[in-house]
């Protein structure tokens, strides 16, 4: 079943068209890679579907409902969660409170229920030391905390924007396995922006490729990586 | 266990404060009222600060509450005590309406606009001669509770307790998560279901209501006011200094700051009339430069490092 659909989605910043006429579709339970060279519009695209930016034109549909201009906090309540490329810890809140924010405001849970739920989610992600300040966390722990916070929104669609950045190869492997397990257990549709192609190959069932704001290819990574347009986009016209 | 102890201490202090009139004379009670008024304003200012919004409009809401209460009694023949409730609600309703405009602004734009609002209120009152009494102000037919020093003290204490209660609720409920999330990272808050405008509006309305209430209590306790008294810039500056000195983002910080600065200001006033404002300025500068977390922040830091080194020592003993 199709969860999230965009039709002709476009975002222009005065002259610059960052996302240009992108139509795509995300199915229940699939892990989708969103790739493309720097400045291709991947993060802008996630900003649009999560409501951080409003599109110039086009439509966004979530479970059959038009959410093109719905504010971000409503989308998270409906079931679209995300993490950010740059980490966004709430530094004056403890780790557990960071996670609770998602449950309290997206799911209208009481503080007590949110705490229990958040502890459960952190256990699922093998994140410990929940009474610590966020400044005491390692980079892997911060990433996990942000994924936990997104999961506390009980999303059906989750976007992870360069969640592997800054991790070493063991940590990356560990997080790939964790994301796969969670997506499977929660029947979650996951959209992954990633620069490391090894991660995309391991993690995703399907990828879409953006270049200069346009969707230039779509399909399993194995196919797309052989597509001449994609190779040209990554290596430049001269190659 | 730790919670129970602190509740017991708080209850003990509350009882002592309620009992003050039994063993204090009129002058100390008067000083206490002044300190408590500033304390309530400092706490209310801090409550909004927890969302990251720095208001310079405390005196505006305070003055608005003063005049709403005074004019309700004078022009509407309202019961003085009821007029305090009316003034608090009035300030809250005004904040609700204004919130739709000013809460779209952030950082210094928000601060400057709240400062300007204060001036606008003052100038309106200043110029509505027939209704507000103009620059000469208004004199009430009498002081509430027939001017009994104990009753006035308890009235002010009541206002302070309501403020502390509201602040404590902000600390312990989901308001704490909402306001801290907004202060730390609005984008992240939005992505996690926090309706930023809604929670800012709640905080703005609640704190304005409290400030209006304290203004009303003040005017009913003195029986007169005028624009330059009700909208005195000190009602913005002193609470701010107290909260900064004591330590922001908590209830206890502004309280500690208010006791320290309030009592020392009273003493300084007697030593160097008007000079106490210079001392205030110096204190603000020193606090911002050397102890941005305030007294409470320093104590917390000290106790944390103390505990940590204690644990280390314990570990090496084993």
């Amino acid at each position: 079943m199709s969860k999230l659909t965009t039709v002709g989605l476009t975002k222009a910043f005065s002259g610059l068209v960052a996302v240009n006429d992108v139509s795509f579709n995300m199915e229940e339970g699939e892990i989708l890679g969103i790739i493309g060279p720097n400045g291709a519009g991947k993060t802008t695209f996630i900003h649009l579907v999560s409501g951080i930016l409003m599109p110039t034109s086009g439509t966004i549909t979530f479970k059959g409902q038009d959410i093109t201009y719905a504010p971000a906090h409503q989308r998270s309540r409906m079931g679209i969660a995300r993490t950010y490329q740059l980490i966004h810890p709430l530094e004056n809140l403890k780790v557990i409170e960071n996670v609770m924010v998602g449950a309290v405001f997206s799911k209208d849970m009481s503080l007590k229920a949110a705490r229990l739920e958040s502890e459960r989610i952190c256990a699922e992600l093998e994140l410990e030391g929940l009474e610590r300040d966020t400044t005491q966390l390692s980079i892997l722990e911060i990433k996990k905390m942000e994924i936990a916070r997104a999961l506390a929104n009980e999303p059906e669609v989750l976007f992870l924007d360069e969640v592997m950045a800054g991790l070493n190869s063991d940590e990356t492997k560990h997080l790939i396995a964790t994301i796969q397990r969670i997506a499977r257990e929660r029947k979650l549709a996951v959209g992954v922006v990633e620069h490391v192609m090894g991660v995309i190959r391991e993690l995703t069932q399907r990828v879409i490729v953006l270049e200069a704001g346009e969707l230039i290819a779509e399909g399993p990574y194995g196919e797309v990586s052989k597509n001449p347009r994609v190779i040209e986009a990554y290596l430049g016209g001269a190659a | 266990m730790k919670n129970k102890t602190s509740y017991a201490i708080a209850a003990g202090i509350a009882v002592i404060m309620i009992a003050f009139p039994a063993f204090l004379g009129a002058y100390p009670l008067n000083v206490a009222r002044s300190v408590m008024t500033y304390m309530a304003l400092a706490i209310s200012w801090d409550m909004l600060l927890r969302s990251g919004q720095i208001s310079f409009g405390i005196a505006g809401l305070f003055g608005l509450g003063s005049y709403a209460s005074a004019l309700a009694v004078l022009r509407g023949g309202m019961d003085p005590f009821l007029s305090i409730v009316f003034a608090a609600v009035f300030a809250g309703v005004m904040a609700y309406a204004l919130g739709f405009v000013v809460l779209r602004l952030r950082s210094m734009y928000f601060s400057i606009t709240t400062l300007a609002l204060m001036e606008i209120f003052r100038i309106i009152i200043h110029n509505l001669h027939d209704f507000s009494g103009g620059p000469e102000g208004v004199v009430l037919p009498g002081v509430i509770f027939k001017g009994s020093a104990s009753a006035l003290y308890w009235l002010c204490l009541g206002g302070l307790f309501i403020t502390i209660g509201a602040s404590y609720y902000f600390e312990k409920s989901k308001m704490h998560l909402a306001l801290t999330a907004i202060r730390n990272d609005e984008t992240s808050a939005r992505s996690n279901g926090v309706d930023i405008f809604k929670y800012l509006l709640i905080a703005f309305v609640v704190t304005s209501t409290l400030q209006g209430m304290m203004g009303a209590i003040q005017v009913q306790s003195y029986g007169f006011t005028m624009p330059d008294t009700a909208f005195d810039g000190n009602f913005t500056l002193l609470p701010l200094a107290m909260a900064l000195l004591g330590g922001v983002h908590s209830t206890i910080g502004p309280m500690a700051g208010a006791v320290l600065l309030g009592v020392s200001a009273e003493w300084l006033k007697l030593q160097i009339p008007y000079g106490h404002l210079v001392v205030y300025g110096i204190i603000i500068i020193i606090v911002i430069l050397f102890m941005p977390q305030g007294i409470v922040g320093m104590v917390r830091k000290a106790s944390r490092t103390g505990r940590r080194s204690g644990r280390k020592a314990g570990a090496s003993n084993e």
Side-chain angles (χ1 to χ4, degrees):
Chain A
M1 196 187 81
S2 166
K3 283 277 179 202
L4 185 70
T5 310
T6 69
V7 178
L9 198 64
T10 301
K11 176 68 184 181
F13 296 103
S14 45
L16 178 82
V17 184
V19 171
N20 193 0
D21 196 23
V22 172
S23 300
F24 101 123
N25 184 22
M26 238 170 126
E27 307 286 332
E28 180 179 300
E30 83 167 328
I31 301 184
L32 173 80
I34 302 167
I35 62 172
N38 283 329
K42 306 180 293 289
T43 295
T44 305
F45 182 71
I46 293 183
H47 280 340
L48 291 175
V49 290
S50 62
I52 295 299
L53 289 175
M54 292 296 154
T56 312
S57 63
T59 59
I60 308 167
T61 319
F62 179 63
K63 293 199 290 181
Q65 221 177 329
D66 184 351
I67 58 159
T68 310
Y69 296 106
H73 69 267
Q74 272 177 25
R75 293 190 207 195
S76 74
R77 297 174 71 96
M78 293 169 87
I80 301 174
R82 64 168 297 183
T83 66
Y84 288 85
Q85 184 174 2
L86 302 171
I87 53 169
H88 282 242
L90 304 169
E91 59 209 15
N92 291 104
L93 294 176
K94 295 204 166 81
V95 175
I96 185 74
E97 290 174 322
N98 260 273
V99 180
M100 281 164 66
V101 169
V104 167
F105 296 101
S106 280
K107 291 291 128 198
D108 293 321
M109 282 188 196
S110 70
L111 290 181
K112 217 173 182 180
R115 183 173 284 271
L116 286 176
E117 173 69 10
S118 302
E119 282 168 358
R120 217 176 49 70
I121 292 168
C122 290
E124 212 179 315
L125 290 172
E126 296 164 38
L127 177 62
E128 286 164 354
L130 305 182
E131 294 299 324
R132 280 182 293 172
D133 289 334
T134 57
T135 47
Q136 293 169 276
L137 299 188
S138 71
I139 187 78
L140 176 65
E141 287 175 318
I142 289 186
K143 303 267 181 178
K144 280 186 171 185
M145 181 184 80
E146 299 208 331
I147 296 173
R149 190 169 61 202
L151 289 178
N153 289 287
E154 272 180 42
E156 294 176 41
V157 175
L158 171 65
F159 287 98
L160 301 173
D161 196 352
E162 294 204 29
V163 73
M164 304 297 174
L167 302 183
N168 67 34
S169 63
D170 283 346
E171 291 169 335
T172 305
K173 260 185 214 154
H174 169 70
L175 203 52
I176 288 175
T178 310
I179 292 167
Q180 280 172 330
R181 172 166 53 83
I182 282 161
R184 194 171 55 239
E185 284 169 4
R186 291 174 171 257
K187 295 199 178 66
L188 201 59
V190 186
V192 190
V193 170
E194 204 53 62
H195 274 299
V196 185
M197 286 309 131
V199 173
I200 292 291
R201 191 176 52 225
E202 285 267 321
L203 194 52
T204 66
Q205 288 130 26
R206 187 167 70 101
V207 296
I208 60 173
V209 188
L210 296 178
E211 190 211 357
E214 286 179 50
L215 199 156
I216 57 165
E218 187 176 354
Y221 177 78
E223 262 173 44
V224 165
S225 61
K226 296 191 188 82
N227 183 324
R229 249 216 74 208
V230 176
I231 295 169
E232 191 188 308
Y234 266 90
L235 299 178
Chain B
M1 196 56 212
K2 190 188 154 208
N3 259 343
K4 262 186 193 159
T5 325
S6 45
Y7 281 136
I9 293 171
I13 292 173
V15 169
I16 292 169
M17 286 182 77
I18 292 168
F20 263 171
F23 45 89
L24 286 184
Y27 173 68
L29 283 185
N30 200 25
V31 173
R33 256 167 51 206
S34 155
V35 171
M36 290 192 301
T37 302
Y38 284 124
M39 188 185 284
L41 295 179
I43 294 169
S44 70
W45 178 74
D46 184 78
M47 285 164 71
L48 186 61
L49 185 75
R50 293 172 207 169
S51 74
Q53 314 308 314
I54 301 172
S55 165
F56 288 153
I58 312 171
L61 278 315
F62 184 86
L64 207 62
S66 294
Y67 266 94
S69 167
L71 295 174
V73 171
L74 215 55
R75 308 273 181 249
M78 198 183 275
D79 171 67
F81 188 78
L82 204 63
S83 83
I84 294 172
V85 179
F86 166 76
V89 173
F90 182 77
V93 171
M94 286 296 283
Y96 181 83
L98 292 168
F100 280 88
V101 184
V102 295
L103 293 175
R104 312 260 171 220
L105 305 170
R106 290 294 181 272
S107 64
M108 64 173 171
Y109 301 100
F110 175 83
S111 306
I112 295 292
T113 308
T114 53
L115 186 67
L117 278 177
M118 179 188 99
E119 268 304 286
I120 291 168
F121 293 152
R122 193 182 64 81
I123 289 166
I124 290 175
I125 298 286
H126 209 275
N127 287 296
L128 280 178
H129 283 272
D130 295 337
F131 183 65
S132 71
E136 293 84 36
V138 285
V139 180
L140 296 174
V143 173
I144 194 170
F145 302 135
K146 300 197 174 71
S148 148
S150 315
L152 292 183
Y153 171 84
W154 282 321
L155 177 66
C156 196
L157 185 64
L160 175 63
F161 280 172
I162 290 173
T163 308
I164 292 173
S167 175
Y168 185 76
Y169 176 77
F170 269 37
E171 268 185 36
K172 295 295 165 192
S173 69
K174 67 179 188 178
M175 285 302 287
H176 168 63
L177 292 184
L179 296 182
T180 313
I182 293 169
R183 173 171 102 241
N184 281 171
D185 197 318
E186 286 199 22
T187 315
S188 191
R190 282 161 74 195
S191 297
N192 288 287
V194 181
D195 185 345
I196 291 178
F197 182 72
K198 176 179 140 190
Y199 286 99
L200 285 183
L201 192 62
I202 293 174
F204 190 54
V205 167
V206 169
T207 56
S208 300
T209 303
L210 296 170
Q211 288 155 11
M213 174 185 71
M214 293 317 290
I217 290 174
Q218 170 101 348
V219 76
Q220 292 301 336
S221 304
Y222 284 93
F224 71 92
T225 195
M226 48 189 201
D228 291 343
T229 312
F231 297 97
D232 189 341
N234 277 341
F235 290 123
T236 295
L237 270 183
L238 300 197
L240 220 136
M242 289 166 174
L244 287 174
L245 173 68
V248 291
H249 305 144
S250 69
T251 307
I252 191 77
M255 288 175 74
V259 170
L260 268 173
L261 267 195
V263 173
S264 60
E266 200 59 35
W267 180 76
L268 279 170
K269 241 184 239 172
L270 301 176
Q271 306 301 314
I272 28 171
Y274 291 102
H276 67 284
L277 293 174
V278 177
V279 177
Y280 265 46
I282 293 171
I283 289 174
I284 296 179
I285 292 168
I286 290 174
V287 167
I288 289 174
L289 282 181
F290 298 110
M291 39 190 278
Q293 297 306 311
I295 292 170
V296 170
M298 275 178 67
V299 170
R300 268 190 203 146
K301 206 169 158 192
S303 78
R304 208 178 300 159
T305 45
R307 226 184 304 150
R308 204 169 293 155
S309 56
R311 204 181 299 152
K312 242 180 231 158
S316 62
N317 279 344
E318 279 167 20

